[in-house]
Amino acid sequence: FLRVLIWLINILAIMGNVTVLFVLLTSRYKMTVPRFLMCNLSFADFCMGFYLLLIASVDSQTKGQYYNHAIDWQTGSGCSAAGFFTVFSSELSVYTLTVITLERWHTITYALQLDQKLRLRHAILIMLGGWLFSTLIATLPLVGVSNYMKVSICLPMDVETTLSQVYILTILILNVVAFTIICACYIKIYFAVQNPELMANNKDTKIAKKMAVLIFTDFTCMAPISFFAISAAFKVPLITVTNSKVLLVLFYPVNSCANPFLYAIFTKAFQRDFFLLLSKFGCCKRRVELYRRKDFVAYTSNCKNGFTGSNKPSQSTLKLSPLQCQYTTVPDKTC
């Protein structure tokens, strides 16, 4: 069951994130802050898929004979590389998810204040900090702070020294803080886009459901791992190493598998970019024509509102779904 599951998860994670990266980087629309953040998230989750591919490949090669290869694998460069990829991926993914959520909250909260808008150069600096932090966290086990040799799935599960315990607890606490920030921001976003004059309508219900799915996947990924890892860090393990492998294969990569679909592939903006890309190869031309017409109508509507109407955005303009507006751009004038 685990062998089938790990192959399924790593294929979904690799294919989903490669698709998102390829479509966003080849899109004819300019690189915006949300697009840039999505590229970072996709790369982080791709690294997790690559880690799972390494583990699955070694497992298939040593099937039924792992005891003959355990020392060579766990003390070798392959396990160290796999461990580095998974910790780097996990921390960069959590960091980027937090930044994406904060950016959405900031955009909706300060929609009327254009001078408060997050610029691409700011996002680049913020993500540079995330890359440096994730690289540092993933490198520490290679220089003696915990290590990747304790278990066959190459995670830093060595807590023999006080420094190693502090290292593990720091990672777990930071992840819990990040999850708390994500939950708080999505709750604030939900109340920000609600219409106070009406009871919960269809749009509010859809937004609430989407946010609930995002929070649920984050919770599913972080909560079980954090709970059992904190107990293990205090040398009071509540499950065996064998059961922890099941837990890690089932829950640890959930975000990497789900993120490309929840944050990109299932959104209308990404689907538009995807079909525009396919049109370059002569496919889906009728669908693309519909998108171009919608872009033209939206553009002309914006022009009328900008030049003939009030400069203040309408209430309906502010009530944007955070999933729908994650990388919305003004169409080219040539449309």
Side-chain angles (χ1 to χ4, degrees):
F1 173 73
L2 279 181
R3 285 190 175 97
V4 172
L5 194 63
I6 197 171
W7 278 104
L8 177 64
I9 291 173
N10 83 63
I11 289 170
L12 278 175
I14 290 174
M15 295 302 294
N17 288 294
V18 166
T19 301
V20 171
L21 272 173
F22 183 72
V23 172
L24 291 181
L25 293 175
T26 58
S27 172
R28 66 184 181 85
Y29 292 94
K30 70 175 184 178
M31 182 63 72
T32 59
V33 171
R35 284 172 179 270
F36 172 73
L37 295 177
M38 269 307 307
C39 287
N40 280 270
L41 181 63
S42 296
F43 179 77
D45 292 334
F46 168 79
C47 289
M48 180 63 76
F50 184 71
Y51 157 76
L52 291 172
L53 181 63
L54 279 176
I55 297 298
S57 300
V58 172
D59 175 67
S60 64
Q61 291 173 7
T62 61
K63 185 178 178 181
Q65 296 181 341
Y66 181 71
Y67 51 84
N68 290 329
H69 305 272
I71 295 175
D72 291 338
W73 165 245
Q74 289 178 217
T75 60
S77 57
C79 192
S80 297
F84 178 88
F85 272 115
T86 187
V87 174
F88 171 81
S89 163
S90 177
E91 295 313 302
L92 184 60
S93 181
V94 170
Y95 182 92
T96 311
L97 279 172
T98 308
V99 174
I100 287 174
T101 308
L102 287 169
E103 190 271 337
R104 288 179 179 177
W105 168 79
H106 184 272
T107 300
I108 290 174
T109 304
Y110 299 100
L112 299 178
Q113 302 175 28
L114 296 180
D115 58 324
Q116 296 284 343
K117 186 179 179 182
L118 184 68
R119 307 294 179 184
L120 185 59
R121 64 178 180 273
H122 301 146
I124 291 172
L125 290 174
I126 291 169
M127 288 311 304
L128 180 61
W131 277 69
L132 291 174
F133 168 75
S134 303
T135 303
L136 174 65
I137 291 294
T139 304
L140 287 176
L142 299 176
V143 295
V145 181
S146 190
N147 63 68
Y148 295 125
M149 299 184 292
K150 188 77 171 179
V151 290
S152 59
I153 52 176
C154 307
L155 288 173
M157 297 177 72
D158 184 4
V159 290
E160 297 301 322
T161 64
T162 304
L163 189 60
S164 297
Q165 285 180 297
V166 172
Y167 168 77
I168 298 294
L169 287 172
T170 301
I171 293 177
L172 295 171
I173 290 169
L174 287 174
N175 288 350
V176 170
V177 170
F179 175 71
T180 305
I181 292 171
I182 290 170
C183 288
C185 284
Y186 275 132
I187 291 168
K188 287 188 175 183
I189 288 170
Y190 174 68
F191 285 114
V193 299
Q194 266 193 319
N195 186 345
E197 298 173 1
L198 301 173
M199 298 301 287
N201 56 24
N202 274 343
K203 185 176 286 188
D204 292 331
T205 304
K206 286 180 181 178
I207 293 170
K209 286 180 179 178
K210 288 177 180 178
M211 292 178 180
V213 170
L214 292 173
I215 292 172
F216 175 75
T217 55
D218 288 340
F219 181 80
T220 304
C221 178
M222 295 179 187
I225 305 299
S226 299
F227 176 73
F228 289 110
I230 288 173
S231 69
F234 285 110
K235 298 184 179 179
V236 188
L238 300 177
I239 56 174
T240 64
V241 172
T242 302
N243 290 335
S244 70
K245 291 178 186 177
V246 177
L247 184 72
L248 290 165
V249 171
L250 282 173
F251 296 102
Y252 186 55
V254 164
N255 273 357
S256 300
C257 206
N259 285 341
F261 296 94
L262 295 176
Y263 284 83
I265 294 174
F266 289 161
T267 64
K268 291 181 180 179
F270 181 86
Q271 290 167 10
R272 177 199 61 196
D273 288 350
F274 180 73
F275 285 113
L276 285 171
L277 179 63
L278 288 181
S279 70
K280 294 179 181 179
F281 303 98
C283 303
C284 307
K285 289 187 175 181
R286 186 175 297 178
R287 185 77 174 265
V288 169
E289 188 61 32
L290 290 174
Y291 282 120
R292 284 175 178 162
R293 288 177 185 175
K294 287 180 181 178
D295 279 351
F296 179 74
V297 170
Y299 178 68
T300 53
S301 176
N302 286 337
C303 288
K304 288 179 182 178
N305 289 335
F307 293 109
T308 63
S310 170
N311 288 330
K312 185 177 179 180
S314 65
Q315 183 70 15
S316 61
T317 304
L318 297 179
K319 291 181 61 183
L320 296 173
S321 163
L323 286 176
Q324 304 266 331
C325 70
Q326 63 173 308
Y327 49 84
T328 302
T329 58
V330 177
D332 295 336
K333 291 184 179 180
T334 52
C335 286

